[in-house]
Each structure stands twice: as C-alpha cells, then as structure tokens.
Amino acid sequence: MARTVIRNAMLFTATGAAASKGDLVVDGERIVSVGAAAQIRADDTVIDATGLFCMPGMTEGHAHLSFENVCATEDLITPCPETQVFTAARGAKALIEAGFTSAYGASEAKLKLAVAVRDEVNAGRLPGPRIRAGGLEITVTGGMGDESRLHNPRIGPSTIVDGVDEMRRAVRLHCREGVDNVKLDVSGDPFYPNTPGHTTPMTFEEIRVAAETAHAFGRKINAHTRSIEGSKHCIRAGVDALFHTEYADEELLDMMEEARERIFVVPTVGLFAQIMAGEASAHGLTPEVGGYMNIPELLENSIRTHTELRKRGIRHLIGGDYGFGWSKQGTQGRDLRFFVDHYGYSPADALVCATRNGGLAMGYDDLGTLEPGRLADLILVDGDPLADISVLSGPEQVVFVMKGGAVQKSTLPAPATGHTPVLQAAE
C-alpha cells in the first residue's frame, strides 16, 4: 500500500511537546514517522501542508448522534426509528467533517440508532467517526427522562426502572442489543422542574448494580450527574464517565482526584453558555427563561468545579449536548473556546482534552496523539488553534480528515492557490 506523506505542516502531537514544523508519514492505518523530513518514494501520496496545522482527530465526549435541531422532547419521541436512523447518520457525517474522528456516545432518541450507524460506519458504507454507541438513557420513575403522567402515559427517549432487579435487566438488554456505552440519569436537570439539578432520584444501589452489570459485559457506564450526592454515588459505584458535574464540595473534589486515572469528566458547558448568551432565544429559550431555570447558578458552579478539577489533573473531554436547534452537530469544537474562557485551560491543554483524553476514553491505547505506531486519525486545519482556538468551532477550516489512514474529507485547494492537491502522487 502506498504511503501518505504530509509535508511542512505545523505538527501538534498532543504529547506535551511544543508544536513544530515537520513531516508526518502514514503507512496503512498507522503513523510511521513524525517530525523528521520524509524520504519520498515513487508511489507515495504527497500532501503539501505548508501553512496548515496538523493535529490528532478530536473526540466528541458526549455524543447524541440522533439529535438534530431538537427544541423539545417531542422532537425525540415522535419521529419513527426509520426516520431517525437517517438523522443519526447525518450526525455522524457532520462530526467527521468537523474533525471529530471519534464519538464517545451518551444516549440517543431510540435504543439502537447509534448501534446501527456504528456498524454501517465500521463496514465502510457510511461516513463517520469511530463510535462507542450510546443507547437510551436509563432513569427512574419521576427522574429526568420520565415523560409520563398518570393521565398521560408516554414512552420517552429513556428506559425507566425502579430497583436493582429492573436496573440489572435494563443494562443487560442494552448490552444484548449492542450498546457500547450505558448511560444513567442519576441526578435531576433544569429542564425538569420537579427534579432540579441538585436532586438525586437514583439510588446508590441502582447505580452500583448498573456499573457492575455493564462492566461484566465489557461495556462502559456513564452518568448524567449534576448533584453532589449523585456524583459521589457514581465515583463509589465505579462509573466510568461523569457528564455535567456542576455541584461539588471538597469531599467530592478529593474523591475525583483520587479516581483521576480511572474516570473521565465531560462538563458539557456549551449548552448553558449558549443559552445565557442569547443563542437559543429564537427557540423561546431566552437568557431570562434560563434565569428562571437556574442556569446562571449551574454555570457559575460549573466554572468553579471544573476549574478546580483542571488544577487537580482530572481528564476532561470536550463536547456534549450538541444537536439542539441553536447548537448544530459539527460545532462541538466550540467547547474548546469555552474550556479556555471558563476553566482556564491553555489552548494546547484544551486540545489535549479533545485528542489524547478522547482516545483514552474511547478505550484505545494507540489513539489521540501523533506518534509512530499510533492509528492515523488526524486532521489538517487552515489556521492555528494555538493562536485562535475558535478556528475549530466548525467544519469550515478543517480542510483534511484522515481516520485509520483513510481520507474522510479533503477541501485542499488546487495548485494555483499554492497548495498541492491531496492525491498528488510523487514523481
């Protein structure tokens, strides 16, 4: 198989080394050299990346592939599965085109949407990232995701359980149906007035048996948790990734620091920041409404908690809760700016959250950095994210995407503009 040689790029390896100009060589699905000037072979495919920034592909850390312009729960409940699988496929395509070569699943509108898209992507029949498929959210009666009332029973985008036996069966069913990441709704949420974010409807025993069951099948267990008690339950029960995690006390911070080599934390700050910036106003969710929902307090606590977790070396992931009407799929890179502005990350360290941390969360030991022997998941950016992190806020300046050595996207300009076409063979 011919090699791909990327020449004269600014290389950001996500290993802690400073970015520097150099060449990168891909042979098959793996990187074989980084930095040194490449010796060009006759059958090499050469990419002139002068003026471009080369970095590992990013990971969306809280993926909802089937969320597309969602503005109400009805948008997830009412469409049929046949329609929504196309929605999820478009979500996967939007991610890969924006430079996200991996998607760490949270939950979907129907149980097997991400499973079906994952399998099609893996078979090469659909474009998309590496996918750890999420299923339905698992919640308890009265918790976030329970859309029913006695006078109006409804099936929402969730599985409702009560007690450890029902929880064990629900997790087993998710695993049987091919789900990689099982998600629990441990705490409340500002979108559910009867169970606000500081409440914890799910019991420790329910969380513990869910984690034990998922791990017995070799799957990951993740949790929507905003409350202090809920997050402590998750750490003690062995949950792998914590989503949101705004409220914290000193004991919780210490617990998370102690577990930092085991857990990943996904702040999902974008949703709240966008609401309070007025970006959801056209959909009826104004900053004033956000105030009634207690979002300013949650955002304030998010900043306090995750700034402290950054200092303690917690492995953060970017992304989360994109796919709403005001936060389109493919714009998850906006979280990088939020990490810099709200949590005090340097641009380089924010990129590590999106790349190296993401590869580890996906379960790979050879993904997320640019090093010899690693999987060739990488992107070229027309701009310098270290100088302006917002260049990764959408797909426009991501001009080249490679996943496992295969080109997924290229908008590299023609020679007349000063760049070599992506598929130019060396003479």
Side-chain angles (χ1 to χ4, degrees):
M1 180 181 293
R3 304 184 312 167
T4 299
V5 180
I6 298 173
R7 307 201 72 180
N8 302 315
M10 182 59 65
L11 299 171
F12 176 82
T13 61
T15 62
S20 60
K21 190 173 181 180
D23 296 353
L24 182 145
V25 180
V26 175
D27 193 350
E29 66 174 5
R30 297 195 177 270
I31 299 167
V32 295
S33 70
V34 181
Q39 298 296 315
I40 305 300
R41 301 174 183 173
D43 60 348
D44 284 345
T45 296
V46 180
I47 300 170
D48 180 3
T50 302
L52 301 179
F53 188 91
C54 182
M55 59 178 278
M58 296 182 286
T59 296
E60 151 64 286
H62 182 144
H64 295 295
L65 299 178
S66 57
F67 287 26
E68 183 180 67
N69 301 324
V70 174
C71 295
T73 307
E74 293 300 322
D75 299 329
L76 300 175
I77 293 176
T78 55
C80 65
E82 293 85 353
T83 295
Q84 287 179 315
V85 74
F86 289 104
T87 303
R90 289 192 295 270
K93 184 174 185 288
L95 282 175
I96 196 73
E97 291 183 347
F100 287 85
T101 54
S102 295
Y104 187 85
S107 64
E108 303 297 345
K110 303 287 190 296
L111 177 61
K112 295 193 67 172
L113 293 175
V115 172
V117 172
R118 176 202 66 200
D119 292 349
E120 289 297 297
V121 170
N122 289 348
R125 293 187 289 263
L126 284 177
R130 303 176 190 273
I131 297 170
R132 287 195 62 92
L136 288 170
E137 298 178 350
I138 300 178
T139 189
V140 297
T141 299
M144 187 189 101
D146 181 3
E147 302 293 329
S148 288
R149 297 295 182 269
L150 285 175
H151 68 283
N152 183 23
R154 303 185 339 138
I155 299 175
S158 56
T159 299
I160 300 171
V161 304
D162 290 292
V164 296
D165 290 337
E166 291 185 9
M167 176 65 82
R168 185 180 291 109
R169 183 180 186 280
V171 174
R172 285 173 173 169
L173 186 147
H174 274 62
C175 295
R176 183 192 74 186
E177 296 302 309
V179 169
D180 299 306
N181 286 358
V182 177
K183 182 187 176 187
L184 308 178
D185 287 342
V186 169
S187 80
D189 190 82
F191 287 90
Y192 288 77
N194 292 333
T195 52
H198 65 272
T199 64
T200 312
M202 190 172 286
T203 69
F204 170 75
E205 287 303 318
E206 290 168 330
I207 301 165
R208 180 188 59 77
V209 77
E212 289 179 355
T213 305
H215 290 156
F217 280 87
R219 314 300 167 84
K220 299 282 190 180
I221 186 85
N222 308 311
H224 166 106
T225 174
R226 302 189 188 278
S227 67
I228 295 174
E229 181 182 21
S231 297
K232 289 179 181 178
H233 284 350
C234 290
I235 298 296
R236 293 180 177 126
V239 167
D240 298 299
L242 283 67
F243 300 145
H244 310 302
T245 324
E246 288 91 6
Y247 294 109
D249 60 14
E250 197 67 22
E251 181 186 30
L252 175 59
L253 294 171
D254 289 343
M255 290 172 64
M256 296 178 79
E257 182 176 6
E258 185 176 352
R260 66 186 176 188
E261 298 301 319
R262 178 178 64 78
I263 63 170
F264 295 89
V265 180
V266 195
T268 64
V269 63
L271 178 64
F272 290 164
Q274 291 156 3
I275 291 171
M276 297 316 298
E279 296 179 31
S281 295
H283 303 276
L285 192 49
T286 65
E288 182 180 18
V289 173
Y292 299 146
M293 296 169 63
N294 206 38
I295 287 176
E297 182 190 347
L298 276 166
L299 186 56
E300 179 182 340
N301 276 276
S302 176
I303 293 169
R304 180 183 305 113
T305 295
H306 293 291
T307 298
E308 179 62 26
L309 291 178
R310 171 185 60 78
K311 295 176 181 177
R312 293 177 181 231
I314 298 299
R315 297 179 298 185
H316 277 132
L317 308 180
I318 72 163
D321 280 335
Y322 283 77
F324 288 94
W326 57 90
S327 59
K328 308 295 186 185
Q329 293 284 2
T331 65
Q332 282 88 339
R334 294 189 63 191
D335 270 21
L336 292 162
R337 168 58 65 187
F338 295 136
F339 271 38
V340 171
D341 291 346
H342 293 304
Y343 301 150
Y345 274 100
S346 69
D349 287 339
L351 291 180
V352 168
C353 294
T355 55
R356 184 174 67 195
N357 289 358
L360 292 171
M362 290 293 292
Y364 292 80
D365 60 5
D366 56 356
L367 186 67
T369 61
L370 301 184
E371 298 177 87
R374 297 282 176 136
L375 288 165
D377 284 23
L378 58 90
I379 64 176
L380 294 176
V381 184
D382 187 8
D384 182 358
L386 299 178
D388 179 11
I389 199 75
S390 64
V391 299
L392 290 168
S393 295
E396 295 80 12
Q397 289 175 265
V398 178
V399 297
F400 179 85
V401 179
M402 174 179 279
K403 184 184 74 174
V407 177
Q408 305 291 313
K409 170 188 176 180
S410 178
T411 60
L412 292 176
T417 63
H419 292 274
T420 304
V422 61
L423 296 180
Q424 178 196 11
E427 297 178 357

